[in-house]
Amino acid sequence: MEKIEEQFANLNIVKRSSETKEPTYLLGIDTSKTIQAEKGSLVAVLCSNGSIRIYDKERLNVLREFRGYPGLSGVKFAHFCDSVYSSCTDGTVKCWDARLASGKPVQLFKGYPSNIFISFDINCNDHVICAGTEKVDDDALLVFWDARINSQDLSATKDPLGAYSETHSDDITQVCFHPSNPNMLVSGSTDGLVNVFDISVDNEEDALVTTCNSVSSVSSIGWSGKDYKQIYCITHDEGFCWWDLNHLDTDEPITRLNIQDVREVIDVKEGILDYLIGGLYHEKTDKLFVVGGTYTGIIHVMSCTTSGLVHVTSLQGGHAATVRSFCWNMQDDSLLSGGEDAQLLLWKPGATEKTFTKKDSMKIASSVYQRVRVHSNDSYKRRKKP
């Protein structure tokens, strides 16, 4: 098998998204996961203008758009059907049929009064949805719903099953279910804590498996390692943490890596790193990578080792501004990326690179962008160098 580092280095642009009437930042990307979707994979993109665009993955043309929902804060496909879920600051999670052009959601999951959802996920068997809230008064909640459709209750609106309220003290910026265990959940917050839960346990106190402290506001989290028994975290001030849950019951330390500011220690080979975007666990090779970039649109890929991050490759010539989101496809080793230049790009290894005209950065912002943007210059002060 070709080394994964070489595959990343050989990534070239295959396709650039078609023009849209209204240019917006592309804040989040997810692809359809069903087997039948492989022939005609769909891509859902969260846009800063309060819309979700559904693209054809190979052609990158917009098939349909769900518009007019300001405050959208996340987008995810279900695992066993082409339903798309989105969280919103209006205190709802909405479910859309990605293959229908209807402007209305097919299901609405309502939160408690005053809930403002800024993160969410659906578990691997599509049974449970969890959304994280902004802190209101003294509460920052993880709210849960049963996502299954009950034949006795075909109502389009669902109320919560319950909530966790004791484990975070500030905005819950990230929630992420385990890729194969439907009961395992990790959450991250601006309070710096990364909490791991087993939601099959009856009460919140007992459900909390462990708490890891990033000592900074959490911007991205995920699972990695063999059987996904590790978790990683990226912070709003470009820090990186990596923990091994295999050592919870041993004397071994669980921290594999802790870097307060990656920008200060990484050597990106004649370049600079301005920000981190997210993590990428490559299951086939059991390797964890971190993706970052520059304000001019270069994407940097770094591999994780217990001694630090190592620059693997830089993807250039694609974006013209900050890259906000990416999605890796393990089946065909392709990468989708989206950014503040309103462009969605499809990269594949060894593809013939075509000539494209770069787009200028679209100087726009939404209320959600201001609140949960990945790379903050104002909300979270960078650590001062000693």
Side-chain angles (χ1 to χ4, degrees), residues 91-298:
T92 66
V93 173
K94 300 175 179 69
C95 175
W96 316 82
D97 188 330
R99 298 194 176 271
L100 296 179
S102 168
K104 291 185 177 180
V106 293
Q107 263 194 311
L108 185 70
F109 300 87
K110 290 182 68 175
Y112 298 105
S114 80
N115 281 172
I116 298 170
F117 295 132
I118 56 173
S119 57
F120 90 106
D121 199 8
I122 182 163
N123 73 346
C124 62
N125 60 14
D126 292 343
H127 287 182
V128 179
I129 293 168
C130 176
T133 73
E134 271 194 359
K135 182 182 178 182
V136 174
D137 296 326
D138 289 327
D139 290 328
L141 305 181
L142 288 166
V143 181
F144 297 89
W145 297 266
D146 185 341
R148 294 169 294 183
I149 295 174
N150 187 334
S151 57
Q152 274 77 46
D153 177 22
L154 296 175
S155 166
T157 303
K158 281 199 170 185
D159 293 322
L161 292 169
Y164 292 167
S165 61
E166 304 296 326
T167 36
H168 283 296
S169 60
D170 213 334
D171 301 354
I172 300 172
T173 52
Q174 290 283 299
V175 291
C176 184
F177 277 104
H178 191 278
S180 58
N181 183 336
N183 295 319
M184 297 300 290
L185 173 76
V186 61
S187 62
S189 165
T190 54
D191 63 11
L193 301 183
V194 175
N195 290 326
V196 180
F197 299 94
D198 178 352
I199 65 168
S200 66
V201 179
D202 284 344
N203 63 76
E204 180 179 355
E205 184 179 357
D206 294 337
L208 182 63
V209 175
T210 191
T211 294
C212 304
N213 194 346
S214 74
V215 200
S216 187
S217 175
V218 174
S219 106
S220 175
I221 53 176
W223 298 85
S224 67
K226 193 173 184 302
D227 299 324
Y228 290 96
K229 290 188 175 174
Q230 299 169 357
I231 53 174
Y232 62 86
C233 156
I234 289 168
T235 67
H236 281 104
D237 49 8
E238 319 312 337
F240 178 77
C241 302
W242 187 16
W243 297 286
D244 193 336
L245 305 182
N246 284 299
H247 299 316
L248 287 178
D249 299 322
T250 74
D251 294 331
E252 294 284 321
I254 70 165
T255 301
R256 288 176 68 86
L257 192 61
N258 188 336
I259 303 172
Q260 287 195 346
D261 189 337
V262 172
R263 296 166 300 184
E264 294 178 357
V265 298
I266 191 73
D267 176 10
V268 289
K269 298 172 188 172
E270 301 177 10
I272 58 167
L273 175 74
D274 288 323
Y275 55 84
L276 300 177
I277 310 168
L280 186 167
Y281 176 64
H282 196 273
E283 195 176 49
K284 293 176 190 172
T285 57
D286 184 26
K287 286 190 176 181
L288 176 61
F289 296 87
V290 171
V291 179
T294 70
Y295 297 132
T296 56
I298 297 170

Side-chain angles (χ1 to χ4, degrees), residues 71 89 116 118 134 171 366-373 380:
T89 56
I116 298 170
I118 56 173
E134 271 194 359
D171 301 354
S366 68
S367 58
V368 174
Y369 165 64
Q370 294 293 350
R371 185 157 47 235
V372 298
R373 58 184 174 169
Y380 309 102

Side-chain angles (χ1 to χ4, degrees), residues 26-30 43-47 51-55 75 344:
L26 306 185
L27 304 178
I29 303 172
D30 198 24
V43 179
V45 176
L46 174 68
C47 303
S51 71
I52 296 169
R53 289 185 194 145
I54 306 297
Y55 290 83
V75 64
L344 179 66

